[in-house]
Amino acid sequence: MMSRSLKSFNRIVVKIGSALLVDQGELKRAWLDALVSDIVSLSEAGADILIVSSGSIALGRGVLGLPAGPLKLEESQAAAAAGQIALAQAYADALGRHGKKAGQILLTLGDTEERRRYLNARATIGMLLKMGAVPIVNENDSVATSEIRYGDNDRLAARVATMASADCLVLLSDIDGLYTAPPSEDPDAVFLPEVPRITREIEAMAGSAGSELSRGGMKTKIDAGKIATAAGTTMIITSGKELNPLKRLAEGGRGTWFPALGSPASARKAWIGGHLEPRGRITLDEGAVQAMKSGKSLLPAGVSSVSGAFTRGDAVIVETLQGRIIGRGLIAYDADEARLIAGRNSREIEAIVGYPGRAEMIHRDDLVLDDVFLHGTG
């Protein structure tokens, strides 16, 4: 059986539903302060923490004085616009009392589905974490419409966990985990402490709709589990109703655990290595080949030639001067720009392409090298 210690994870995404955070248009400050103290404890123990928080529309209702009941699209967007400011400020204040910084990231569906925007969002999250800030992520409800939205923050949280290479995703819910049937309807429903793999039977247990505030029910949490575990992220569904829910979970509190199928790094490498169609080729000089072998990123200076028609975020083949394929990676530049900066020092990039681009042609996190090249004799 897997280890069930929250403290054993290095990077944790915590998803918070509207109903936990907002009550009748008002922020539940005591609950938020208790949660933030949990987050700070995990952070001080060495974990990176990201928060995916619903609540902007629910909070915006109160800010704008909108009535209860369903909102029109434009009313929802206005509520989100007003509520997001209040929500971000609340997180910044709560974290600030512990000497921590918050960084707000608003995403739409395209930001995790289109590779170029995915790389931008991933880089922003990575830099915030590197600088010790806590990213606060929400769907950009002020501009999202039904065609371009996730529709629930469970799946958004799973995408964010994948994007950030998190090894743990905690879904704080109004229920303490998955049962064989909805416990409110079936007194014989059995609690499941662990789900080794999501099967059709598990999906059938998930039921459907949630409350008015939280669009997702258990079904969206199981969908999130499929995304997360396939990407190497362990997922936990646990109750957020009480104060200090993460402390309770870390001390062995009740929750349903969905073990990761592999690690985030291996899942990401499999995605780059096997699921993306390469759009071009990057040929390296001998120095760059050796740098790759020692685990470094690919800098423009080590590139001898560039071929193909690709855009930033596409997969490209990486090869030696002799034409030996040594791996593939996600390119940080469009093809025409890559050709212009090939063989040049990274300090020259801005003068050549007209903007301060990334120092690496392919970052090592976006590079998958052939095992024979890495460990073989050839």
Side-chain angles (χ1 to χ4, degrees), residues 27 60 99 141 143 147 151 165 182 213 221 239 253 262 264 280 313 316 336 351-352 368:
L27 189 74
D141 286 310
V143 299
E147 304 85 53
S165 297
L213 288 181
K221 291 172 175 53
S239 173
V316 295
D336 54 350
I352 296 168
V368 180

Side-chain angles (χ1 to χ4, degrees), residues 175-184 186-193 195 201-202 204-207 218 237 254 256:
I175 191 168
D176 57 6
L178 179 65
Y179 288 75
T180 52
S184 58
D186 185 349
D188 296 323
V190 177
F191 174 77
L192 301 176
V195 176
E201 289 76 18
I202 294 296
M205 292 171 193
M218 192 57 73
I237 301 171
R254 188 136 131 155
T256 299

Side-chain angles (χ1 to χ4, degrees), residues 5 136 142 151 189 201 227 229 242 272 293 346 360 369 375:
S5 169
I136 312 295
S142 61
E201 289 76 18
I227 295 166
T229 55
E242 305 299 323
I272 294 170
K293 206 162 195 173
S346 294
E360 308 89 359
L369 296 174
H375 308 296

Side-chain angles (χ1 to χ4, degrees), residues 48-364:
D48 291 332
I49 308 291
L50 298 87
I51 298 171
V52 175
S53 179
S54 306
S56 62
I57 294 175
L59 202 53
R61 276 181 181 273
V63 172
L64 299 178
L66 289 165
L71 297 175
K72 296 175 186 171
L73 173 63
E74 57 271 25
E75 289 174 328
S76 290
Q77 291 175 329
Q84 193 60 47
I85 294 173
L87 189 64
Q89 188 63 56
Y91 276 110
D93 290 346
L95 286 160
R97 285 192 283 276
H98 296 270
K100 294 282 185 184
K101 305 289 186 188
Q104 177 178 264
I105 301 175
L106 297 177
L107 298 175
T108 57
L109 187 62
D111 295 319
T112 59
E113 304 307 306
E114 295 174 21
R115 284 196 295 277
R116 176 188 290 260
R117 287 154 67 183
Y118 174 98
L119 289 177
N120 285 335
R122 177 179 163 86
T124 303
I125 287 170
M127 185 53 67
L128 282 170
L129 292 171
K130 187 176 179 182
M131 297 174 79
V134 178
I136 312 295
V137 185
N138 195 3
E139 182 156 17
N140 195 350
D141 286 310
S142 61
V143 299
T145 61
S146 57
E147 304 85 53
I148 59 165
R149 70 175 311 121
Y150 299 89
D152 67 87
N153 270 7
D154 293 322
R155 279 178 290 217
L156 171 62
R159 293 291 188 203
V160 168
T162 303
M163 180 190 285
S165 297
D167 52 358
C168 181
L169 167 62
V170 180
L171 301 183
L172 294 179
S173 176
D174 55 2
I175 191 168
D176 57 6
L178 179 65
Y179 288 75
T180 52
S184 58
E185 299 169 16
D186 185 349
D188 296 323
V190 177
F191 174 77
L192 301 176
E194 183 171 322
V195 176
R197 191 172 286 268
I198 295 171
T199 61
R200 286 184 181 177
E201 289 76 18
I202 294 296
E203 288 183 309
M205 292 171 193
S208 56
S211 69
E212 176 200 338
L213 288 181
S214 63
R215 296 186 202 92
M218 192 57 73
K219 181 182 185 307
T220 62
K221 291 172 175 53
I222 296 302
D223 289 343
K226 288 195 284 189
I227 295 166
T229 55
T233 305
T234 291
M235 189 180 87
I236 309 152
I237 301 171
T238 192
S239 173
K241 282 181 162 180
E242 305 299 323
L243 295 183
N244 302 102
L246 297 177
K247 180 171 183 264
R248 180 180 48 75
L249 185 64
E251 292 172 351
R254 188 136 131 155
T256 299
W257 290 67
F258 298 77
L261 310 174
S263 71
S266 64
R268 180 170 171 76
K269 299 288 187 184
W271 175 64
I272 294 170
H275 298 292
L276 296 176
E277 190 66 33
R279 304 289 183 186
R281 284 176 179 261
I282 307 295
T283 305
L284 314 187
D285 64 25
E286 188 53 38
V289 169
Q290 292 310 311
M292 297 294 93
K293 206 162 195 173
S294 66
K296 292 187 166 63
S297 297
L298 173 61
L299 303 178
V303 176
S304 295
S305 65
V306 174
S307 62
F310 51 81
T311 59
R312 181 168 184 267
D314 281 343
V316 295
I317 286 170
V318 180
E319 64 181 10
T320 66
L321 286 169
Q322 294 75 37
R324 178 187 172 186
I325 295 173
I326 60 171
R328 59 168 70 185
L330 305 184
I331 193 82
Y333 287 91
D334 294 345
D336 54 350
E337 293 173 339
R339 290 187 182 92
L340 287 172
I341 63 174
R344 308 295 287 268
N345 191 290
S346 294
R347 290 191 297 273
E348 301 176 77
I349 290 173
E350 184 171 5
I352 296 168
V353 300
Y355 65 94
R358 303 197 188 281
E360 308 89 359
M361 186 85 87
I362 302 175
H363 192 279
R364 64 184 180 186

Side-chain angles (χ1 to χ4, degrees), residues 5-14 38-50 100 128-130 132-135 166-168 170 246 250:
S5 169
L6 201 57
K7 293 175 182 174
S8 67
F9 296 102
N10 298 312
R11 182 167 289 179
I12 303 168
V13 174
V14 181
D38 290 354
I39 284 167
V40 170
S41 293
L42 287 168
S43 176
E44 288 175 348
D48 291 332
I49 308 291
L50 298 87
K100 294 282 185 184
L128 282 170
L129 292 171
K130 187 176 179 182
V134 178
D167 52 358
C168 181
V170 180
L246 297 177

